[in-house]
Amino acid sequence: MSNITEHQQPQQNGGGIPIQNHQPNSSSHTPTTTQQKTVSIPLQSLPLRPSTLTALLRSGFSTTGDVMNSCQTELVPSNDNVDTNTNHNSMMNIETNSNTTTTTNNNNSYDNFAKELGCSTTQAADYAHEIDDALGSIGLPKVSKSQQNTNGENIDSSNQTDNNIMAPHQPIFSATAASILRSKAINHFPVNGNNQAPAPAAKQIVSFSQALDVLLGGGFALSELTEIAGLPGVGKTQLAMQLCVNSRLPTTSGGVQGCAVVIDAEGSWSGAAGGDRLWSMANALSDHVKLSASRKLARAKEGMPQGSTTNINEDSIPNWFSPEFILGGIHIFRVHDEASQTCTLYNLPKFLLELEQKGTPVKLVVIDSLAFHYRVASSSTSSSNVGNGNSNKNSSLSTTHNLTRMAAFLTELASEFDLAVVAMNHLTSRIEKDGNNNKSGTKLVPALGESWAHSVTSRLIIDHYRQLHATDGSMDEVRTCTLVKSPHKPSGTSLFKITDKGIRGVSPQLLQTQSQATKRARVD
């Protein structure tokens, strides 16, 4: 490229993001028009869609400066002093006359960018425009080159005059149901660049409670955002820990064989108690897998005819599947406030891509809990704005907008990386009114409002049920898990219990025995 960008000393913009100036060097054939000065910041620091960020990172683009170098277009004045040996025409089509300067075609200016991305020119332009919107929302120059008319006025090459992040100008493409099914049937990240369908693998993460797995259609589905709500101490974190451990289950045992990422907002995972609990569950899962493999091997030996010389693979018992191996694939990020939680979540695509390239893809992301820091921030803002109705209203709108964007981000993250996102939520009291608009009582509902409720794919509510007497004389507290929202499963309720080994189902015989024991005697 004729214009070489030069990296200067990093500066700091108003938002505290490290930036670097990019300014073309002057040469004998440098245009006399004013050059666009742009900055270089990491792409993962921008609020980009996971699919966009993943496509850019895979193609080697890590900063906005890299994108600018690939897709910007220079203006060449129409005079006889222009060096005809320059290679501008290979990157853009320029038409000049004696009086005016004509800029390039908008699509052709992204040809080089599209070639490096391995996509169409239209898709490359969409990526550049999305980066422009993100940069404009924080007050930074765009990566695409602004054009000038004959009066020297800047013209936005993206033909966008509104940089309002609330209403991004994203193209809308239609898709058929058949194309969606085909895209789900192939691997999201094909090996060796082909699109061949991968080996059959589980698409759900089991919970080890048969009733709960049946209620969810086999377990917690990949490529979906699932919310688990409940009162404190009801077992939300226990269920999330079991899912993280079970996400490490090998495909030969019906698992997804992936890693798990935990955003620990409340500190339940980072303490010693959380580590001990995860170890107990991992130890139980390791023993279960090895015992199942030993039983399968024994049945194979029994089914062999006498005198057979066929060798049985003794290595079918996965001795490598140890508690250390299980816990080594659970990555925990401790976040202490809303800002660090949001920053960690928006930077997850890069971390997920790094693990995928190492051959250890992430299949589960747990946020425990998403509501904690949002509710703390909202309550502190409300207390500081007592008596100021407009400030409280603006804070509420900002929180609702952030949650809506976060839900869209997590949903696309789950779809793009083919993983399950499980977000924990609290319950809050809502005032119920009768037909005369009078207060009639209160009701416990999930927090974060209606906008968040509409954004999640599935919603589960956990509650206490009752204590049952086990056969060994101990007491098991049974929980209920109610599916209140799902686009593809009917609503229903299942029972499960929390044992020293983790989440387990409730035996129907135990329930029947307890039911008969609690029946009142018939009085004649």
Side-chain angles (χ1 to χ4, degrees):
M1 190 170 182
S2 59
N3 293 315
I4 304 173
T5 56
E6 182 182 81
H7 293 271
Q8 299 178 357
Q9 292 298 326
Q11 300 177 358
Q12 293 288 333
N13 65 350
I17 302 174
I19 61 178
Q20 293 177 315
N21 288 333
H22 283 252
Q23 187 173 7
N25 291 335
S26 59
S27 60
S28 60
H29 58 271
T30 301
T32 58
T33 55
T34 303
Q35 302 294 334
Q36 183 187 20
K37 182 181 293 186
T38 160
V39 295
S40 179
I41 64 175
L43 291 174
Q44 60 267 23
S45 65
L46 298 176
L48 301 176
R49 295 178 298 172
S51 56
T52 301
L53 184 59
T54 302
L56 293 171
L57 292 176
R58 282 179 182 163
S59 301
F61 295 95
S62 59
T63 66
T64 55
D66 297 335
V67 178
M68 180 270 293
N69 289 337
S70 181
C71 71
Q72 79 169 354
T73 301
E74 297 295 338
L75 300 178
V76 178
S78 56
N79 53 54
D80 298 333
N81 295 327
V82 178
D83 187 358
T84 57
N85 294 327
T86 57
N87 198 24
H88 285 290
N89 290 334
S90 64
M91 298 184 181
M92 58 183 179
N93 297 325
I94 301 177
E95 298 177 1
T96 61
N97 54 42
S98 59
N99 297 321
T100 62
T101 299
T102 308
T103 56
T104 65
N105 180 274
N106 211 18
N107 289 334
N108 293 339
S109 63
Y110 297 105
D111 285 346
N112 184 57
F113 188 37
K115 183 178 180 180
E116 294 186 14
L117 285 173
C119 64
S120 64
T121 305
T122 303
Q123 184 63 60
D126 293 338
Y127 288 151
H129 295 165
E130 184 177 350
I131 297 174
D132 287 343
D133 289 336
L135 289 172
S137 67
I138 57 179
L140 294 179
K142 299 181 178 183
V143 296
S144 56
K145 191 70 175 178
S146 60
Q147 301 173 354
Q148 294 182 352
N149 57 18
T150 56
N151 297 326
E153 299 174 349
N154 289 335
I155 303 176
D156 189 357
S157 62
S158 63
N159 295 326
Q160 297 179 9
T161 59
D162 184 10
N163 290 326
N164 184 7
I165 197 67
M166 294 286 289
H169 299 272
Q170 294 295 341
I172 300 177
F173 302 99
S174 62
T176 63
S179 64
I180 295 176
L181 290 176
R182 283 195 297 269
S183 65
K184 295 300 180 182
I186 64 174
N187 196 355
H188 284 267
F189 306 103
V191 180
N192 298 327
N194 56 47
N195 290 324
Q196 297 179 356
K203 299 299 292 182
Q204 295 89 14
I205 301 176
V206 296
S207 64
F208 278 3
S209 171
Q210 184 177 5
L212 178 56
D213 292 337
V214 170
L215 177 66
L216 299 178
F220 287 76
L222 304 183
S223 302
E224 291 186 4
L225 170 59
T226 304
E227 177 195 33
I228 301 178
L231 292 170
V234 78
K236 302 187 298 296
T237 301
Q238 297 276 344
L239 179 57
M241 288 182 173
Q242 186 67 65
L243 294 177
C244 287
V245 170
N246 291 354
S247 67
R248 304 286 289 153
L249 196 64
T251 55
T252 54
S253 300
V256 295
Q257 195 170 344
C259 295
V261 171
V262 179
I263 309 300
D264 183 15
E266 301 183 11
S268 303
W269 300 70
S270 304
D276 292 341
R277 186 57 175 155
L278 284 171
W279 174 266
S280 300
M281 292 182 177
N283 195 33
L285 178 62
S286 176
D287 293 342
H288 169 77
V289 171
K290 293 177 181 179
L291 181 60
S292 298
S294 299
R295 291 176 177 174
K296 184 177 180 179
L297 183 61
R299 288 194 299 268
K301 290 182 178 180
E302 292 177 357
M304 291 179 56
Q306 294 183 356
S308 175
T309 58
T310 303
N311 294 327
I312 298 179
N313 186 11
E314 297 286 346
D315 297 333
S316 60
I317 300 178
N319 294 320
W320 52 268
F321 193 70
S322 62
E324 293 83 0
F325 172 82
I326 296 174
L327 298 182
I330 302 177
H331 307 271
I332 301 174
F333 294 89
R334 179 71 170 102
V335 293
H336 297 275
D337 52 32
E338 180 188 357
S340 60
Q341 175 177 301
T342 303
C343 181
T344 302
L345 287 172
Y346 279 131
N347 281 275
L348 271 184
K350 180 181 179 182
F351 180 72
L352 299 180
L353 186 60
E354 290 176 354
L355 291 183
E356 177 206 326
Q357 293 172 348
K358 294 178 181 178
T360 55
V362 173
K363 290 299 180 182
L364 175 65
V365 173
V366 172
I367 311 171
D368 189 12
S369 66
L370 183 69
F372 182 73
H373 290 310
Y374 277 107
R375 298 185 73 185
V376 170
S378 299
S379 60
S380 61
T381 303
S382 299
S383 60
S384 62
N385 294 328
V386 174
N388 193 340
N390 291 332
S391 297
N392 290 333
K393 183 178 180 180
N394 293 336
S395 176
S396 177
L397 291 175
S398 177
T399 301
T400 301
H401 171 57
N402 291 337
L403 283 172
T404 304
R405 287 188 58 190
M406 180 61 68
F409 173 83
L410 293 175
T411 301
E412 190 170 1
L413 186 77
S415 177
E416 179 67 21
F417 287 91
D418 193 26
L419 52 83
V421 177
V422 178
M424 305 297 156
N425 196 1
H426 300 163
L427 292 182
T428 186
S429 297
R430 185 177 67 185
I431 299 176
E432 296 290 321
K433 296 183 179 181
D434 55 19
N436 298 325
N437 204 25
N438 296 323
K439 180 179 177 181
S440 61
T442 59
K443 179 182 179 181
L444 287 176
V445 296
L448 302 181
E450 293 296 330
S451 297
W452 168 260
H454 287 291
S455 301
V456 299
T457 308
S458 301
R459 166 173 278 182
L460 299 171
I461 296 182
I462 301 178
D463 198 2
H464 296 282
Y465 180 53
R466 60 180 177 180
Q467 290 186 341
L468 300 180
H469 294 276
T471 55
D472 57 358
S474 61
M475 296 291 292
D476 287 335
E477 185 173 1
V478 177
R479 269 80 167 176
T480 63
C481 184
T482 304
L483 179 63
V484 297
K485 177 191 175 184
S486 176
H488 43 69
K489 294 296 176 183
S491 301
T493 301
S494 64
L495 301 179
F496 69 93
K497 61 182 180 179
I498 301 176
T499 68
D500 57 343
K501 296 181 179 181
I503 303 297
R504 296 294 183 270
V506 180
S507 171
Q509 293 79 7
L510 179 60
L511 290 175
Q512 184 178 6
T513 302
Q514 295 292 327
S515 178
Q516 293 176 353
T518 56
K519 283 185 178 180
R520 296 175 58 186
R522 180 178 179 181
V523 179
D524 295 332

